[in-house]
Amino acid sequence: MTRSAGMSSTSSSRAGSSRASSSKEATTIRVESISSRAGSNTRVNSSTSRPSNMAKVSTEGTVSVGGASSNISVWDVAVMESRRRRTEGSSLELDKLPREATLLIVGTRSAGKTTLIQRFLDREDVPRQTLALEYTYGRKTGKTMVKDVCHLWELGGGALFTPLLSTPLTTRVMTSLTLLLMVDLSRPHTIWSDLETLLSSLKLQVNKVVATVPGLRDSLQEAAKKRIHSHHQVDQEVTPFLVPLVIIGGKYDIFKDLEPEGKKLICRALRFVTHTHGASLHFFSAKDAGLVKKTKELLSHYAFGTTESRSLAQDYNQPLIIPAGSDSLATINMNDELNLDSWRHLYTTRFPQENEERSSVLPEDPSRDPTYAEPDVDNLRTQKDEELERIRREVGRNTGRWAELDLS
């Protein structure tokens, strides 16, 4: 057995010397183990071609690089290589995962929430009244071929259906959630009441959800501070909302024709509420192509992570566009000492607030409303109504017959 091993070694040496003249050096790695228990020899040969400056593995199990030896064994090298490949594979898998975001839109009834969603998704459907809570989604191809997903929830009925907020507001979406609160600029007599009611409901539900996960509040607060402090020095009176908040003023095309002093008061009041909540303020009109484009860019930033526009417009004679943290109380209050109570008094004195009745929100019979027509469902409903009417007539006839029977 020893003589055979020596012959194999000589043969390998000759083969190596014959290949030395080529551009690459060939090296034969031979591992021989002799098992005393089995009384046999096990011989494993492995030949690899590599440049001469790569690491050489000796038969003693050590690694030499550039002539210098190291105590790292072959197994250590194999383990490190395996870990490196697993790490690279994990990062590639993460890159392939789609980005998911959730947008929840609430606001004044008939302020244009559905129209806003359709413009964002480039849909041409005729907007219809949102009865309670509706869901849709949008997709966009990201950095890879995987499509990013945006979940869109719309709460209809103004502040009437706020108990339904528990459906879209869950712990799973808190870190990727953006709240959009839309008011109707053409109805100043509902703006303040809608703002206070909806902000209070949103804050209550978000705090309730965050309280169920230890450490979630701290991480959201830290993210909120970075969000509004990234570009500007923010006033100490600001208490950032735990999740990104955008206040949208709808129907600007009607609002722009209001008398100047009224517009100025409304704009300043909205700026104060927005700024103190660490939110963004954005005016919108479906009839203004420029505002539609800017609003789509705003929603795309929160939905798909596109670059955020840092446009700034604070003149009340123009549509307001104020990113979070871009405003200041000095410019809003005009050096007056005004707090939330002061602004509430100023606004409600000029524009007394109105409360919507429930009857003005819900149709008498939503199932018969042509806005929600569904041919298949409606045909089945008509069939069932006819069957029910037939059963009623039969029961009525049988009741008359039983009454005529003399059971005495």
Side-chain angles (χ1 to χ4, degrees):
M1 296 296 293
T2 304
R3 184 179 304 170
S4 175
M7 292 175 65
S8 298
S9 177
T10 303
S11 175
S12 297
S13 299
R14 291 175 180 175
S17 60
S18 63
R19 289 192 298 268
S21 59
S22 62
S23 60
K24 294 184 180 179
E25 177 184 0
T27 302
T28 302
I29 302 175
R30 182 183 308 284
V31 180
E32 298 182 1
S33 68
I34 301 176
S35 174
S36 58
R37 295 180 181 178
S40 61
N41 296 340
T42 303
R43 182 172 303 155
V44 181
N45 296 332
S46 175
S47 299
T48 58
S49 297
R50 51 167 176 71
S52 58
N53 60 349
M54 291 185 63
K56 299 179 179 180
V57 184
S58 66
T59 55
E60 288 80 5
T62 61
V63 178
S64 61
V65 181
S69 62
S70 173
N71 292 328
I72 301 177
S73 67
V74 176
W75 293 111
D76 292 335
V77 174
V79 170
M80 288 188 292
E81 178 66 14
S82 177
R83 289 176 179 174
R84 183 185 65 81
R85 292 182 179 180
R86 283 201 300 266
T87 302
E88 291 180 354
S90 300
S91 61
L92 291 176
E93 290 297 326
L94 290 176
D95 291 339
K96 294 180 181 179
L97 293 178
R99 182 184 189 275
E100 287 195 37
T102 300
L103 270 59
L104 170 61
I105 304 177
V106 302
T108 307
R109 183 174 65 94
S110 301
K113 300 184 294 295
T114 304
T115 302
L116 175 68
I117 294 176
Q118 290 184 344
R119 292 294 185 274
F120 173 57
L121 299 177
D122 293 327
R123 295 178 180 174
E124 300 297 334
D125 300 339
V126 178
R128 63 183 185 182
Q129 181 184 357
T130 302
L131 187 60
L133 182 67
E134 291 192 1
Y135 168 81
T136 187
Y137 67 93
R139 296 190 298 176
K140 180 179 179 181
T141 303
K143 297 179 180 179
T144 63
M145 294 304 296
V146 179
K147 289 184 178 294
D148 297 333
V149 181
C150 174
H151 306 281
L152 293 159
W153 293 88
E154 179 190 354
L155 183 69
L160 181 62
F161 300 115
T162 51
L164 297 177
L165 289 174
S166 59
T167 300
L169 296 182
T170 62
T171 56
R172 188 180 68 86
V173 305
M174 279 295 124
T175 56
S176 60
L177 173 67
T178 299
L179 300 176
L180 306 175
L181 197 164
M182 195 168 189
V183 295
D184 190 345
L185 295 176
S186 67
R187 299 164 61 191
H189 296 280
T190 63
I191 290 179
W192 191 273
S193 60
D194 288 341
L195 273 178
E196 282 197 322
T197 303
L198 291 170
L199 282 174
S200 176
S201 299
L202 289 171
K203 188 178 299 183
L204 179 65
Q205 185 62 32
V206 169
N207 288 335
K208 181 179 178 181
V209 173
V210 169
T212 62
V213 181
L216 180 58
R217 175 179 294 276
D218 294 336
S219 62
L220 290 178
Q221 286 178 340
E222 186 65 25
K225 291 179 181 178
K226 292 180 180 179
R227 185 168 59 249
I228 64 175
H229 283 272
S230 58
H231 297 280
H232 302 274
Q233 182 65 33
V234 180
D235 297 300
Q236 295 181 354
E237 293 82 356
V238 175
T239 304
F241 216 80
L242 287 180
V243 296
L245 172 66
V246 181
I247 296 179
I248 300 177
K251 298 185 179 179
Y252 175 76
D253 55 299
I254 301 176
F255 172 78
K256 67 180 181 180
D257 295 329
L258 294 180
E259 51 91 14
E261 288 301 318
K263 285 199 302 182
K264 184 176 181 180
L265 177 61
I266 294 172
C267 289
R268 290 178 63 195
L270 287 174
R271 287 173 61 186
F272 179 86
V273 174
T274 301
H275 181 64
T276 53
H277 283 81
S280 300
L281 180 61
H282 197 100
F283 282 2
F284 170 76
S285 171
K287 298 180 180 180
D288 189 318
L291 288 179
V292 170
K293 179 181 178 182
K294 290 182 179 297
T295 307
K296 288 175 64 175
E297 292 174 353
L298 175 71
L299 268 60
S300 180
H301 166 68
Y302 290 108
F304 303 114
T306 57
T307 303
E308 180 182 11
S309 173
R310 301 306 299 181
S311 300
L312 179 64
Q314 297 177 330
D315 185 359
Y316 71 91
N317 291 312
Q318 301 294 329
L320 299 184
I321 300 177
I322 306 176
S326 301
D327 220 336
S328 67
L329 292 180
T331 58
I332 297 172
N333 293 337
M334 297 182 179
N335 299 322
D336 294 332
E337 295 295 332
L338 299 176
N339 55 21
L340 181 61
D341 293 333
S342 302
W343 273 109
R344 182 189 296 111
H345 176 72
L346 286 173
Y347 191 93
T348 56
T349 300
R350 178 66 180 273
F351 301 105
Q353 298 298 284
E354 301 173 355
N355 293 323
E356 288 185 327
E357 297 293 336
R358 181 183 178 90
S359 58
S360 65
V361 177
L362 289 175
E364 293 183 0
D365 188 355
S367 65
R368 299 185 182 277
D369 192 331
T371 306
Y372 307 100
E374 294 287 349
D376 294 338
V377 177
D378 293 340
N379 291 336
L380 184 60
R381 171 65 184 268
T382 300
Q383 179 183 346
K384 294 299 180 182
D385 287 342
E386 293 174 354
E387 292 179 1
L388 179 61
E389 185 62 26
R390 178 177 55 80
I391 294 174
R392 285 176 177 173
R393 289 197 299 268
E394 291 180 357
V395 171
R397 287 195 297 268
N398 293 334
T399 301
R401 295 173 183 173
W402 294 337
E404 294 175 356
L405 294 178
D406 185 7
L407 301 178
S408 57

